[in-house]
Amino acid sequence: MVRKPALTVGLVLTGGALVAPVDASTGPIPIKCDRACLEGVINQYLQALVAHDPSRLPLSADVRYSENAQV
């Protein structure tokens, strides 16, 4: 019984090495987006919200929205 928790911790600790790092952005927002970049994204979002124009949102071309398993 003592081995199961140790095995679980070992799998969790080594599991991170199995995931490939992401090096490229998948949309208009860069991967290394600092505070000024994030403020710009929020400003774009708010402008699109006020204009009721979802095409102005800073989203990738292949973005999909779903809610309660409905696309």
Side-chain angles (χ1 to χ4, degrees):
M1 289 195 180
V2 175
R3 290 186 181 192
K4 286 185 180 179
L7 178 62
T8 303
V9 171
L11 289 174
V12 170
L13 291 177
T14 60
L18 302 175
V19 177
V22 176
D23 292 330
S25 176
T26 59
I29 303 169
I31 291 292
K32 295 181 181 181
C33 191
D34 61 1
R35 183 182 180 101
C37 173
L38 291 173
E39 287 175 353
V41 170
I42 295 299
N43 286 335
Q44 285 179 318
Y45 173 81
L46 292 174
Q47 290 170 358
L49 186 68
V50 168
H52 300 284
D53 185 5
S55 68
R56 295 173 59 179
L57 290 171
L59 303 173
S60 66
D62 61 347
V63 69
R64 292 184 344 172
Y65 174 77
S66 66
E67 184 174 340
N68 294 329
Q70 299 293 317
V71 178

